[in-house]
Amino acid sequence: MSNKMTFVELQNHMNLKKQAGQQVKYTYRSAEQILQTFKTLDSGWEIALNDEIVTVANRIFIQSIAEVTDGTDKRSSRAFAELADVPVLNTQKGERKQMSEPQWTGAVSSYSRKYALQGLFGIADIDVDELELEQQAFKKKEEVKSRDFNTEIMNAASKEQVLQIAKEAKQYGQGHAILDAYKAKMNQLEEKTNEPS
């Protein structure tokens, strides 16, 4: 006997994180991953996916409809993905298609289904921890904009401090901008070290 969930409970259980791919360096979420998670739940809901080819303004799209029902309540979501030409790779031997036409159609369908499923289950496209990292990176960039690395270098008391500030400046693409101040301060500290006591 299934433990029947409300739709809100189902959505909460479906809020899955992105996973790292085997052949790519980034994390992502796929239609297959979402469906696999749904199947592991004893929710009392059934799911159906349907694809349809539609034309909008002379462009061809795959429309995916994701629908769940518990026998009484029914919820659905739809998403679209354009079925454009197969992408072409430029190689030393010339141009070649990344996939065959059937493979490309399947990839576009999977993409459309993923967004229909994400809409249905209220799965955010960006994970909460991913969003926090983006916000931290943005905050750091804003802090860097307000920093005057040249003045910091000229006010540094030791070579170690100069090196640390220069390292931070380089991390944020300011390496060339602080080069003159870096050389001048390092020469100044060197002369100070060589002064007779």
Side-chain angles (χ1 to χ4, degrees), residues 5-17:
M5 298 178 185
T6 65
F7 184 67
V8 172
E9 287 172 336
L10 177 61
Q11 283 186 317
N12 289 336
H13 280 84
M14 290 299 298
N15 197 7
L16 62 160
K17 289 184 177 289

Side-chain angles (χ1 to χ4, degrees), residues 177-188:
I178 54 97
L179 200 55
D180 290 340
Y182 173 82
K183 287 177 182 176
K185 186 65 181 182
M186 289 303 258
N187 286 337
Q188 182 188 1

Side-chain angles (χ1 to χ4, degrees), residues 132-159:
E132 285 175 4
L133 286 173
E134 282 187 10
Q135 288 171 341
Q136 286 171 12
F138 177 77
K139 188 178 175 186
K140 197 77 171 172
K141 281 181 185 175
E142 291 301 305
E143 287 172 5
V144 168
K145 283 181 189 175
S146 64
R147 284 181 69 176
D148 184 349
F149 288 109
N150 286 309
T151 302
E152 287 183 34
I153 285 172
M154 294 314 291
N155 292 334
S158 67
K159 288 182 180 179

Side-chain angles (χ1 to χ4, degrees), residues 141 144 149 166-178:
K141 281 181 185 175
V144 168
F149 288 109
K167 184 179 175 184
E168 290 171 12
K170 190 176 177 183
Q171 281 178 334
Y172 296 102
Q174 301 291 321
H176 291 293
I178 54 97

Side-chain angles (χ1 to χ4, degrees), residues 50-65 78-84 105 108-109 112:
N50 291 298
D51 289 345
E52 183 183 346
I53 303 290
V54 295
T55 304
V56 180
N58 295 323
R59 292 162 62 187
I60 301 171
F61 292 83
I62 291 182
Q63 173 186 252
S64 296
I65 300 170
R78 70 184 64 219
F80 298 83
E82 187 173 6
L83 188 58
T105 302
V108 175
S109 168
S112 181

